[in-house]
Amino acid sequence: MSYPELRLRKGTERSLLNGHPWVYSGAVDQPPADAAPGCLVDVVDHRGRFIGRGHYNARSPIRVRILTRDRETDIDSAFFRARIGRALRLRLDSDLTGQTDAFRVVHGESDGLPGLVVDRYGDHAVVQFHTAGIDGAREDILDAIDATLTPTGLYERSDVGTRRAEGLPDRPAGPVRGTPPPDFITISEGGAPLVVDVYRGQKTGFFLDQRDNRLLLRRLCQGRELLNAFSYTSGFSLQARRGGAKQTLDVDVARSVLPAARQNLQLNASADGRSDLVIADAFAFVDDLGRRGPRFDAVVLDPPALLRKRADYKKAMGVYIKLNRNALRLLRDDGLLVTASCSSRITPEDFFAIVQRAAASEKVGLRIVAYNLHPPDHPVNPAFPEGRYLKCVFARVIR
Ligand code: SAH
């Protein structure tokens, strides 16, 4: 097959040659002629030398997302089958399957499949098409998922905001292959049963990336009183209950989390534990409660990404610091702060600074006892720093 060519401006090829998968608009010298959004192009340097082949979209500031650097590789059904097969092997070769039957199978750029997300929940799978290019290959991709994962049913949740920047319509969600999933899919996380609502849940239904942190909290919770802020479907609290927590209090702003959260707390109830769930703005809630002094042995902070645009960096740092300081006010001596950030623009160093400044302003000491980054089903390509987003610190408070 031959593909239209996109020529780069002289001197812009460095990061691509180092493995980065994106060509920004500013690097383009000559765009391909008559290229529809999502079509395949060959990216060449200013002298016409082949660099890679990928999906093109003139409507996105990311003009090309590279799929292969091998000129002989066609982007066809065999290609998607091989890529998805490799992604699945990477998960099966980790220690994930001993822990859970739910994991991310394809994590976009990090698996060499820009714009594609596939999550597995038990026997079912959920797919998201984020870009015009990947959306154009949907039939090949659905076939490839079917062949590699053999799920009972495959459900699509492409109702993501990122599609708008690609000029794509917000595709309504729906079943695309096999049997539609039940209202709630029950999965297991470290032996704890929990339900996932792939129809109405956020993202594809569950935040699989926090699994290791939930399981670590479980081992540190015996007899403790926990505040779980930004609790979604009570993932941290259900593990805390498994770990013998005396009390858990969940706070989330979205009323839609209630049905799954209630089931999850019930499924993991213990005889002497107690659990409550409040629908409220967690920033204000933690602030208000903090004014009344320490009252918890553990606080989890797992907010959504608070920094999206570079211009908001300072403001977002301030919001993170204040949130963490308010959480520290709630913690007793020896209490455990579990704090996370999923903004890729907040670097690990930024995050340490946030935690340090929160402690300094609250005048407490902290000892970081765990510092976790990505689990194996959200792998990181070192050539793609934008794909590094998750940071989670476990720290003990010294009053
Ligand atoms: N810790 C969860 C995932 C949290 S995702 C787990 O382990 O599954 C972030 C959550 O923050 C979402 O459920 C979202 O509804 C909630 N959220 C967003 N803004 C909020 C706010 N201002 N106050 C409370 N919750 C908020």
Side-chain angles (χ1 to χ4, degrees):
M1 283 278 283
S2 86
Y3 302 95
E5 271 185 10
L6 177 148
R7 189 178 291 257
L8 294 177
R9 286 172 39 203
K10 192 175 173 188
T12 60
E13 66 276 18
R14 178 59 38 214
S15 78
L16 278 179
L17 293 173
N18 284 334
H20 198 280
W22 292 348
V23 176
Y24 281 106
S25 55
V28 178
D29 180 14
Q30 274 173 36
D34 298 332
C39 75
L40 289 161
V41 294
D42 279 354
V43 176
V44 300
D45 72 6
H46 69 286
R47 289 199 198 140
R49 285 176 300 202
F50 178 86
I51 296 183
R53 181 169 295 151
H55 286 137
Y56 176 74
N57 190 349
R59 304 188 58 157
S60 164
I62 302 169
R63 289 288 202 270
V64 184
R65 295 168 197 259
I66 299 289
L67 293 161
T68 181
R69 288 148 202 286
D70 173 14
R71 195 194 259 284
E72 307 309 317
T73 298
D74 274 332
I75 311 302
D76 53 12
S77 57
F79 169 84
F80 287 110
R81 220 161 141 156
R83 280 284 157 95
I84 293 171
R86 174 180 292 274
L88 178 63
R89 277 204 308 283
L90 192 135
R91 277 68 178 173
L92 298 180
D93 288 347
S94 72
D95 61 351
L96 276 169
T97 47
Q99 274 175 21
T100 183
D101 57 355
F103 50 87
R104 178 150 294 188
V105 181
V106 176
H107 186 48
E109 273 81 353
S110 306
D111 285 298
L113 289 165
L116 182 67
V117 166
V118 182
D119 286 340
R120 180 183 157 171
Y121 296 113
D123 296 336
H124 288 264
V126 182
V127 62
Q128 287 181 327
F129 298 99
H130 287 255
T131 61
I134 216 77
D135 196 67
R138 52 186 288 119
E139 290 307 316
D140 279 347
I141 291 172
L142 293 175
D143 289 346
I145 298 171
D146 230 358
T148 359
L149 279 183
T150 60
T152 305
L154 181 52
Y155 192 82
E156 180 175 2
R157 282 294 306 271
S158 296
D159 47 332
V160 288
T162 47
R163 284 171 64 98
R164 269 167 238 155
E166 289 277 317
L168 287 170
D170 284 0
R171 190 180 290 280
V176 282
R177 289 279 200 279
T179 315
D183 272 354
F184 292 101
I185 301 176
T186 304
I187 61 161
S188 161
E189 185 177 83
L194 67 94
V195 297
V196 175
D197 178 354
V198 303
Y199 291 94
R200 288 157 298 257
Q202 296 181 28
K203 309 279 167 121
T204 67
F206 194 49
F207 292 87
L208 293 164
D209 53 1
Q210 289 284 25
R211 173 193 315 110
D212 289 348
N213 296 320
R214 288 187 289 261
L215 291 174
L216 177 55
L217 178 70
R218 166 166 154 185
R219 301 201 290 278
L220 302 171
C221 260
Q222 180 68 48
R224 289 180 175 259
E225 292 174 57
L226 167 74
L227 172 68
N228 179 20
F230 309 91
S231 51
Y232 190 51
T233 51
S234 302
F236 277 99
S237 290
L238 76 87
Q239 293 298 356
R241 291 182 73 134
R242 286 268 145 187
K246 190 160 89 190
Q247 199 175 315
T248 67
L249 173 57
D250 287 339
V251 188
D252 200 284
V253 79
R255 191 161 287 280
S256 56
V257 305
L258 282 172
R262 287 204 179 111
Q263 280 203 51
N264 286 338
L265 292 170
Q266 220 159 50
L267 282 167
N268 296 283
S270 58
D272 47 354
R274 138 174 206 158
S275 283
D276 295 293
L277 206 167
V278 180
I279 299 299
D281 173 58
F283 295 99
F285 189 91
V286 173
D287 194 338
D288 286 351
L289 214 58
R291 290 169 205 279
R292 289 184 254 159
R295 55 193 57 232
F296 292 97
D297 310 301
V299 174
V300 174
L301 297 177
D302 187 17
L306 300 181
L307 177 58
R308 298 201 179 267
K309 286 184 294 181
R310 200 193 322 240
D312 295 339
Y313 173 81
K314 262 203 153 149
K315 198 173 130 211
M317 286 291 284
V319 174
Y320 275 114
I321 292 167
K322 185 169 175 205
L323 176 66
N324 279 274
R325 186 205 63 196
N326 289 340
L328 288 171
R329 288 189 172 160
L330 285 168
L331 281 162
R332 301 184 179 118
D333 188 32
D334 282 337
L336 182 68
L337 176 67
V338 179
T339 179
S341 160
C342 58
S343 307
S344 62
R345 291 184 188 280
I346 298 287
T347 66
E349 281 314 310
D350 288 334
F351 198 53
F352 278 122
I354 287 166
V355 171
Q356 184 269 322
R357 281 157 69 184
S361 98
E362 185 45 21
K363 299 193 171 56
V364 295
L366 282 183
R367 295 291 179 270
I368 294 177
V369 291
Y371 173 51
N372 296 333
L373 302 172
H374 282 220
D377 56 336
H378 293 67
V380 169
N381 174 356
F384 182 59
E386 293 85 346
R388 274 184 341 211
Y389 67 95
L390 189 62
K391 306 152 289 283
C392 186
V393 160
F394 284 61
R396 291 271 179 212
V397 174
I398 302 169
R399 288 207 169 272

